Each structure stands twice: as structure tokens, then as C-alpha cells.
């Protein structure tokens, strides 16, 4: 059966994604509090999903190829579905505006999205490409990581290689360009977090302290302290327009990124245990793939004009609490607007979209 607190954790992660994509737009206008919040969220919110994937991954009797095929069905179908959907919506908007339609460009974009992942009509599916490549790496290398200590050693090796190959100085390297296909280069970085989650699951197995509220709270406090202390250690170089980590752009800054990302991820992981049962977050978590993909519409199309309108109508919030309140309100509205479409996809195209048929996640976890 599904582990509900893990679904809660994924739900929290999705909320962080939606929040981060709004607060980053305010940060782009020079709002210091927004930049600070964006930097903090981006330091760990995507590593969290890779760590959770490793935590959820269980060793089975299935063949490696059979397990990889199952993962491909879970990830590749939504990649195709959402990129085709966003491409068709984009074409419809162009036609509605009376602009000429370059069918050759759209054809190349669709082909590139299927073959390389470099051009994506649905931008946030980068995560699904990268996660699929992580599972390929685990199929090839995971057999060696049969113990928690070996998994951590492999995490260091994979993360180090991924950090090197994605560094700006390596982008002109032909081998580096080849590894960009399906985000394989970034997958080495992501695989490090996957292995940390996998090792953590092994280490926790059979330990009763994981059920202790006090000890879980102590872990949250300790990891939050590490996160806050190490956040400023990462001084770049950064690739984004704001000074922070953006895995989608293969930008990590300094090596301190790994420590901060793990600490922040563990804060969410153990906080989810403390939260316990929460049906809205569970439902968002079990539908994390469609919620994540559909946020592309807000990230690329809706958030920029919304924040411009907000600036012109109300001015920019400056106080950290004002930023949190207003951005939180937009985040909630975005999630509520997305929920009906996710529900509809769960009824009409669950396999293609990765959406759940039921609001209460009862099927076995992947």
C-alpha cells in the first residue's frame, strides 16, 4: 500500500514548486525578500523529488529490464502526452491571435522533445526526462550499491562526475553535449540524491525511532539549522538571472549545494511524518506528475503577466511577510485552478498523464 506521509511530502514539494515559480517573478523585479525566498526554495526543492524517488525505490524480483520498462511507462507516456498537449495549445493560441503558424518549427520542436528533451513545449517535463535517465543509471550501476555505505560512495562519485560535466567550462566538450540528451548529464547529479534517499530507506528499516514524534522533530530542527547555515556557502557561479541553484539549467553553483540540498530535503521529509494524515496534500502528492507538468502553463504563460499586472496595480511587496502572504495566495489559487484538470485527466487519461483515478491514493506505490 502507499505510504501516505510520503505522498504528503511530495505534496509539500509541489507546493514549493508552485510557490517558487511565483516568488521568482517578484525577485526578478529586485524584491530582496522574494530573492531570498526563491534562493532558499531552489536550493532543495528539486533534489527533494529525486531523494524521494530513491527512498521509494524498492529492490524486487523483477528483472532490471522489466523494472526499467515499468518506469518508462510511468514517465515517458506523460512526457509525450504533456509536450504534445502544450504544443497544440501553443498552436491554437498563435492561430487565435491571427499570427502565421510555422508548422516546420513545431514539427522540429515535437521531434526534439521526444528524442533529446532539449526543446520542450511543456518546459517542466525536464524533470521527467532527468528522472528517466536516473532510472537508467540505477539499472546500470545500482547493482553495486547493495548496502547503504556503498550507495553513499556511489552517490559521491555520481554527484562529483555530474557536477564536473555540467560545469559551464565543460559545455563546449563534445562528450558533454552528447550527455545532454534526456538530461543524462544532470541525471548524474540527481542520481546522487536518489542514492541518498535509497541509503536512508535502508538505514531506517526496522528502526522504531522513526515513529517517535520527538525524534522526528529533533531531526527537522537539526537539518533546518544545517540548511540555514550552509545556504550562504554557495556563492556560485550561477546560471539563472537570480543567484541560486536551477537544476533545469544545470546550474548548481558551488559544491556546498549538495549539503544544503540534502539538509533541506530532510526537513520536508521528516516534517511530512509530523504532519501525518492530510488528504489534500496526499492527493497532490499522488498526482505530482500532472501537477508538476501543468505548472508549465503558470511558469511560462500566466505568472509573468500576472506579476506585471500586480506591480502596476498594487506595487511590489517588500516586507518578507507581505511577500509570503501574497505569493502564498497566488500559489493557492494556482493549485486550485489546476486541481479540476488533474481530476479530469485522472478520469480520462490516467496512464498517459500519470494522474490518479481516485482522490484517495490506495494503489501500491511505484
Amino acid at each position: 500500500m502507499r505510504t501516505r506521509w510520503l505522498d504528503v511530502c511530495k505534496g509539500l514539494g509541489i507546493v514549493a514548486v508552485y510557490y517558487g515559480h511565483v516568488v521568482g517573478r517578484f525577485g526578478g523585479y529586485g524584491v530582496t525578500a522574494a530573492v531570498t525566498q526563491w534562493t532558499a526554495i531552489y536550493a532543495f526543492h528539486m533534489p527533494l523529488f529525486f531523494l524521494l524517488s530513491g527512498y521509494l525505490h524498492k529492490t524486487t524480483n523483477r528483472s532490471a529490464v522489466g523494472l526499467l520498462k515499468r518506469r518508462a511507462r510511468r514517465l515517458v507516456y506523460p512526457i509525450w502526452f504533456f509536450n504534445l498537449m502544450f504544443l497544440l495549445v501553443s498552436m491554437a493560441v498563435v492561430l487565435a491571435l491571427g499570427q502565421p503558424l510555422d508548422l516546420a518549427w513545431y514539427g522540429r520542436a515535437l521531434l526534439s522533445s521526444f528524442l533529446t528533451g532539449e526543446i520542450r513545449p511543456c518546459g517542466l517535463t525536464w524533470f521527467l526526462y532527468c528522472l528517466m535517465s536516473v532510472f537508467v543509471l540505477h539499472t546500470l550501476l545500482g547493482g553495486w550499491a547493495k548496502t547503504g555505505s556503498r550507495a553513499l560512495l556511489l552517490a559521491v562519485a555520481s554527484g562529483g562526475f555530474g557536477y564536473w560535466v555540467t560545469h559551464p567550462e565543460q559545455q563546449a566538450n563534445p562528450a558533454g553535449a552528447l550527455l545532454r540528451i534526456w538530461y543524462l548529464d544532470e541525471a548524474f547529479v540527481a542520481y546522487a540524491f536518489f542514492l541518498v534517499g535509497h541509503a536512508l530507506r535502508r538505514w531506517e528499516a526496522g528502526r522504531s525511532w522513526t515513529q517517535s514524534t520527538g525524534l522526528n522533530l529533533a531531526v527537522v530542527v537539526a537539518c533546518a539549522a544545517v540548511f540555514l547555515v550552509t545556504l550562504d556557502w554557495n556563492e556560485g557561479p550561477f546560471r539563472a538571472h537570480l543567484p541560486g541553484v536551477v537544476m533545469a539549467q544545470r546550474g548548481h553553483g558551488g559544491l556546498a549545494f549538495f549539503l544544503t540540498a540534502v539538509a533541506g530535503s530532510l526537513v520536508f521529509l521528516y516534517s511530512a511524518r509530523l504532519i501525518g494524515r492530510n488528504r489534500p496534500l496526499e492527493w497532490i502528492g499522488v498526482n505530482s506528475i500532472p501537477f508538476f507538468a501543468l505548472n508549465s502553463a503558470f511558469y511560462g504563460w500566466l505568472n509573468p503577466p500576472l506579476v506585471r499586472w500586480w506591480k502596476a496595480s498594487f506595487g511590489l511587496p517588500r516586507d518578507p511577510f507581505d511577500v509570503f502572504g501574497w505569493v502564498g495566495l497566488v500559489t493557492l489559487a494556482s493549485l486550485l485552478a489546476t486541481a479540476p484538470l488533474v481530476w479530469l485527466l485522472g478520469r480520462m487519461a490516467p496512464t498517459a498523464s500519470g494522474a490518479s483515478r481516485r482522490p484517495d491514493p490506495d494503489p501500491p506505490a511505484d
Side-chain angles (χ1 to χ4, degrees), residues 168-226:
E169 294 179 356
Q170 299 299 322
Q171 292 309 293
N173 188 321
L178 182 63
L179 288 174
R180 293 174 69 89
I181 296 175
W182 277 62
Y183 271 82
L184 182 57
D185 54 352
E186 186 65 19
F188 282 96
V189 175
Y191 189 40
F193 299 112
F194 179 96
L195 288 166
V196 169
H198 197 47
L200 180 63
R201 175 87 177 233
R202 290 174 179 270
W203 182 70
E204 286 187 344
R207 298 178 186 269
S208 59
W209 73 267
T210 59
Q211 307 301 318
S212 169
T213 299
L215 287 175
N216 281 312
L217 180 59
V219 172
V220 169
V221 172
C223 290
V226 172

